[in-house]
Amino acid sequence: MTMPPTCCACGSHETAIVLDLGSVPAADTFPPVTRAPEGDPAADERHPLAMALCRSCGLAQIAHDDTAAEQPLGVEPRALVEQAERAVAVAASRGWLPGATVREFPSPHGGTWVPLVTGRGHVETSGRASVVLDSFGVMHEPDQRAAWQARAEATEPDGVLLVQFHSLAAIVRLEQWTSLRHGHAAYYSLTSLQRLLSDVDMSLAGVESFDLYGGTVLAAARHGRHAAPSDVAAMLDDESRLGVTDPDVVSGLQDVVDRDVTGLRQWLASRSEEGQRVMGYGAASVAVAQLGLARVDSRLLEAVADASPGKQGRRMPGTDVPIISPDELVAASPDLVLLTLPDLLPELETSYPQLAGRWVVRGRS
């Protein structure tokens, strides 16, 4: 049983385990197909994976992480590129792109907003900037207190810090337990973000919500203490009603795990009994724990396609399921394609019309 950690943001010992997946393979380590410990993929190295919630500051966080730093093997999907374009356009319309300089804290997920901002007249700098960007980057920092201090110090006195994150409210509301993965140190609600910003003498200046990943938030922050604007207050009220800082509420994610992994295995087994060939698309980190816990192997899921050349020729961790290219998926012409990332569906339907009518999202056609 995983022990509650000291909070990586406020240092409180008042944390509670709200989701425990046991020991699973690291989500960003894709072994070669030909390499498996003692010939058994199930013997891949495993690491504890659990989420804790701080009762003091409300931050959800990985309880312990003994894995190596994330390796950026993925290819940025069109959905993420389009999300960046919309987010910067919204920031411009709301006056969140002041001054003349921009600095970005990078993310292992790849992609950059800098060209979108410099295209509006700003100049990139490595020092203090009037616009500081962080899209899915700060969540990877094990020391959250130091990470937010660094971002505050990088922001000019009259500047704006723009942060994009996958909302804990969406994770709880949509039961997205697979969002928990190694390398992701923190999972933010706007409530916990407000506390983190307050600790570095910054305040929320506004928020925007997007549909990416079921609920992505763009938050703008400025130096000093200011009253929360109406959009911020409304989101904070919504989170309060949902209970995103209540361990009893967030721990409801644990109840979903067995249901989902059992449902996935039963669905794949039923398709196999019917003689249908099923392959997957998206060798994504969110699929690693689910496939492993469901004991999925290549008899049930023949292969998983992915656009990243760095993943092709490898296999899903903890399984013998090989990772192939999208062209190989089309050539194989399976009966059904299990999609691990629903946001990719519009892009894939356009790119691979040969597979029309075969896409399945999370075991549901």
Side-chain angles (χ1 to χ4, degrees), residues 14-88:
E14 296 299 315
T15 62
I17 299 298
V18 292
L19 176 61
D20 194 340
L21 301 183
S23 294
V24 299
D28 59 357
T29 301
F30 296 89
V33 172
T34 56
R35 186 186 305 163
E38 300 177 357
D40 180 11
D44 284 343
E45 184 176 358
R46 292 170 180 263
H47 308 265
L49 183 59
M51 177 187 288
L53 188 68
C54 180
R55 299 179 188 272
S56 178
C57 70
L59 181 67
Q61 55 205 274
I62 196 167
H64 303 283
D65 193 350
D66 60 357
T67 65
E70 181 174 355
Q71 300 299 314
L73 295 177
V75 173
E76 190 176 30
R78 185 186 307 165
L80 201 57
V81 174
E82 293 174 349
Q83 158 69 19
E85 294 170 349
R86 291 194 298 270
V88 171

Side-chain angles (χ1 to χ4, degrees), residues 18-364:
V18 292
L19 176 61
D20 194 340
L21 301 183
S23 294
V24 299
D28 59 357
T29 301
F30 296 89
V33 172
T34 56
R35 186 186 305 163
E38 300 177 357
D40 180 11
D44 284 343
E45 184 176 358
R46 292 170 180 263
H47 308 265
L49 183 59
M51 177 187 288
L53 188 68
C54 180
R55 299 179 188 272
S56 178
C57 70
L59 181 67
Q61 55 205 274
I62 196 167
H64 303 283
D65 193 350
D66 60 357
T67 65
E70 181 174 355
Q71 300 299 314
L73 295 177
V75 173
E76 190 176 30
R78 185 186 307 165
L80 201 57
V81 174
E82 293 174 349
Q83 158 69 19
E85 294 170 349
R86 291 194 298 270
V88 171
V90 166
S93 70
R94 297 198 58 175
W96 296 343
L97 299 179
T101 54
V102 59
R103 175 178 172 179
E104 184 174 55
F105 282 81
S107 165
H109 293 292
T112 175
W113 292 13
V114 169
L116 298 172
V117 178
T118 55
R120 295 175 179 269
H122 287 65
V123 176
E124 186 176 11
T125 179
S126 59
R128 299 184 80 185
S130 51
V131 177
V132 175
L133 308 171
D134 190 299
S135 177
F136 305 118
V138 66
M139 66 185 296
H140 296 85
E141 300 283 357
D143 187 340
Q144 285 288 297
R145 186 195 299 269
W148 288 99
Q149 186 63 50
R151 284 152 180 79
E153 292 175 354
T155 308
E156 291 280 8
D158 296 326
V160 171
L161 169 62
L162 290 174
V163 181
Q164 178 169 260
F165 60 95
H166 183 199
S167 170
L168 179 64
I171 292 172
V172 172
R173 184 176 284 118
L174 301 178
E175 302 177 331
Q176 297 172 327
W177 63 270
T178 57
S179 297
L180 177 64
R181 55 150 295 172
H182 297 112
H184 288 182
Y187 300 82
Y188 309 103
S189 61
L190 194 67
T191 304
S192 63
L193 179 58
Q194 184 181 52
R195 165 66 187 270
L196 288 164
L197 291 169
S198 177
D199 287 347
V200 294
D201 199 30
M202 297 189 82
S203 302
L204 289 163
V207 292
E208 285 283 346
S209 298
F210 300 90
D211 292 335
L212 186 70
Y213 303 145
T216 294
V217 172
L218 175 66
R222 299 181 186 273
H223 287 288
R225 304 299 174 94
H226 311 286
S230 59
D231 57 351
V232 170
M235 186 173 291
L236 292 173
D237 286 345
D238 177 67
E239 290 188 347
S240 178
R241 289 190 295 270
L242 182 61
V244 294
T245 61
D246 184 344
D248 290 337
V249 172
V250 182
S251 63
L253 292 170
Q254 189 73 55
D255 299 331
V256 184
V257 177
D258 286 344
R259 183 194 73 193
D260 280 3
V261 298
T262 299
L264 174 61
R265 182 169 181 85
Q266 289 177 343
W267 183 84
L268 286 169
S270 294
R271 302 293 79 74
S272 178
E273 290 171 2
E274 294 169 359
Q276 292 184 305
R277 297 174 57 228
V278 181
M279 292 186 175
Y281 191 100
S285 60
V286 295
V288 172
Q290 190 171 29
L291 293 181
L293 292 173
R295 305 185 311 281
V296 172
D297 58 31
S298 58
R299 293 171 298 180
L300 298 178
L301 188 66
E302 290 186 24
V304 173
D306 197 277
S308 170
K311 295 179 181 179
Q312 294 163 13
R314 296 175 178 269
R315 57 180 170 82
M316 296 299 295
T319 79
D320 65 345
V321 178
I323 302 171
I324 62 177
S325 70
D327 287 343
E328 290 175 298
L329 173 68
V330 171
S333 190
D335 297 299
L336 298 170
V337 183
L338 181 66
L339 182 57
T340 64
L341 293 171
D343 294 278
L344 295 180
L345 184 57
E347 175 181 346
L348 295 175
E349 287 179 326
T350 299
S351 300
Y352 305 108
Q354 307 95 318
L355 299 174
R358 307 186 199 185
W359 300 104
V360 177
V361 178
R362 296 176 184 172
R364 296 186 298 271

